[in-house]
Amino acid sequence: GGVVGVDFSSMPGAGGEGLDGGGGGSFMTPLEMQQLDSASEQTQLLIPQGDSYLQTRAEAVEQIESHISELGAVFQKLAGLVQHHGELVQRVEDNVDDAHENVESGMGQLVKVLEGLKSGKMLGLKITGILVLFIIFFITFLA
């Protein structure tokens, strides 16, 4: 495994500062040295040593990138399907509107025919009544 380097320049005393932080020299107190050692040990515990860990992490990142690309492709296909189905739904809606208009027009025509039949019956009854009256009139006065 490799050794992981850690930048301790941000720690007190590591950047050539004294106790007062004034940068007056490179003096480190024993407490600062202990803190530096403690921070170094903690960092080494948090970051596992070895190329296999880094290789595993790199493979995991590549897998995530691959999954994200696949997911992007799926969303592209889904967007295309949604657009296509939107067009189909619009056509169906237009056809339903046309069918509704045709049904309304047909109902209007049926109502007109029905009214025509009713008035035709009345006309037939009137003509029949007039003919009966003429027949009675001719039989009574001409016979």
Side-chain angles (χ1 to χ4, degrees):
V3 176
V4 175
V6 179
D7 181 19
F8 294 107
S9 62
S10 63
M11 293 194 63
E17 301 172 347
L19 283 176
D20 59 355
S26 62
F27 176 71
M28 288 181 60
T29 65
L31 178 62
E32 288 173 337
M33 286 183 184
Q34 185 180 9
Q35 288 175 345
L36 183 63
D37 288 340
S38 174
S40 175
E41 288 174 11
Q42 287 176 355
T43 304
Q44 289 177 358
L45 289 176
L46 291 175
I47 302 173
Q49 304 294 317
D51 293 334
S52 64
Y53 174 77
L54 295 176
Q55 184 177 1
T56 304
R57 298 305 294 161
E59 289 172 359
V61 168
E62 287 175 5
Q63 259 187 340
I64 290 171
E65 288 175 353
S66 171
H67 290 299
I68 289 172
S69 296
E70 290 174 10
L71 192 58
V74 168
F75 276 115
Q76 290 280 342
K77 288 179 182 178
L78 183 62
L81 287 173
V82 166
Q83 181 181 3
H84 177 70
H85 285 121
E87 293 169 1
L88 291 176
V89 167
Q90 185 62 41
R91 280 192 229 149
V92 168
E93 184 179 357
D94 292 343
N95 290 340
V96 167
D97 289 341
D98 290 343
H100 183 263
E101 290 174 12
N102 291 337
V103 167
E104 291 293 323
S105 176
M107 288 294 291
Q109 293 295 324
L110 287 174
V111 167
K112 286 180 184 177
V113 168
L114 183 60
E115 289 174 357
L117 288 175
K118 286 181 182 178
S119 65
K121 285 181 183 177
M122 292 303 288
L123 180 62
L125 286 173
K126 290 177 185 175
I127 292 174
T128 304
I130 292 173
L131 284 175
V132 169
L133 286 175
F134 278 126
I135 292 173
I136 293 173
F137 178 72
F138 284 120
I139 291 176
T140 322
F141 292 110
L142 295 176

